[in-house]
């Protein structure tokens, strides 16, 4: 199906590769990390090309403000966020973090940073109630929650019931007592 007049002809998929994986004939890596095995490889390709590249992330809000990050920028920023998670947030491989954010650029950075560090991300919609948040924190045994200043008071109302919750990280321009500020740490 043609979407525009300057289409490229692509080779058909080789389904024998998929069958080989099913038969365990094709080598599958023992460890795979999307951030380092894919994102960092694209970043390296981008550096070697030394020319204009397509953005890895292109985000536009309702007002028309936009953010464009190359693969190199996305990789670098996700490494900084990974340092925040493993440093001030004290998260280690296998720990769980509940992330309740709208789809802002920080949401994508946190996703990649969690992949990088081996931290299990539990995404949540911004429509969660206090009871929903408390249930998810208790059921998941999350050690950290990350949200905006809109939901921070809701989290504070249930945090005392969640003994395993050690760190609260807020994505906001303002500070809040007992919360680490994402922007300040980054």
């Amino acid at each position: 199906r043609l979407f525009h007049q300057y289409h490229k002809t692509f080779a058909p998929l080789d389904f024998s590769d998929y069958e080989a994986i099913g038969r365990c004939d094709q080598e599958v890596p023992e460890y795979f990390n999307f951030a380092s095995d894919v994102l960092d490889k694209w970043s390296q390709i981008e550096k070697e090309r030394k020319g204009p590249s397509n953005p890895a992330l292109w985000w536009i809000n309702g007002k028309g403000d936009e953010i464009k990050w190359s693969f190199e920028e996305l990789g670098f920023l996700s490494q900084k966020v990974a340092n925040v998670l493993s440093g001030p947030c004290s998260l280690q491989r296998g720990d769980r973090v509940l992330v309740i954010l709208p789809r802002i650029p920080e949401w994508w950075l946190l996703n990649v940073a969690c992949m990088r560090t081996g931290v299990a991300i539990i995404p949540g919609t911004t429509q969660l109630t206090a009871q929903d948040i408390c249930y998810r924190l208790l059921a998941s045994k999350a050690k950290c929650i990350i949200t905006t200043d809109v939901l921070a008071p809701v989290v504070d109302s249930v945090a005392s019931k969640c003994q395993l919750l050690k760190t609260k990280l807020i994505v906001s321009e303002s500070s809040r007592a007992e919360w680490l500020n994402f922007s300040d740490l980054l």
Side-chain angles (χ1 to χ4, degrees), residues 21 24-34 36-38:
I21 291 171
C24 299
D25 292 344
Q26 191 168 9
E27 187 177 329
V28 177
E30 184 178 354
Y31 300 103
F32 174 78
N33 185 305
F34 176 82
S36 58
D37 294 334
V38 176

Side-chain angles (χ1 to χ4, degrees), residues 32-36 39 74-75 77-86 89 91-101 106-123 144-146 169 182:
F32 174 78
N33 185 305
F34 176 82
S36 58
L39 181 62
L74 182 59
L77 290 169
S78 68
Q79 288 172 0
K80 287 179 72 171
V81 175
N83 289 336
V84 169
L85 295 177
S86 60
C89 293
L91 296 173
Q92 299 174 357
R93 179 176 294 282
D95 287 344
R96 297 174 190 106
V97 58
L98 179 59
V99 178
I100 308 172
L101 292 173
E106 292 84 356
W107 187 85
W108 298 101
L109 286 177
L110 285 158
N111 271 273
V112 176
C114 284
M115 290 177 207
R116 231 179 242 295
T117 57
V119 170
I121 187 169
I122 304 163
C144 179
I145 188 164
I146 304 170
L169 186 63
F182 181 82

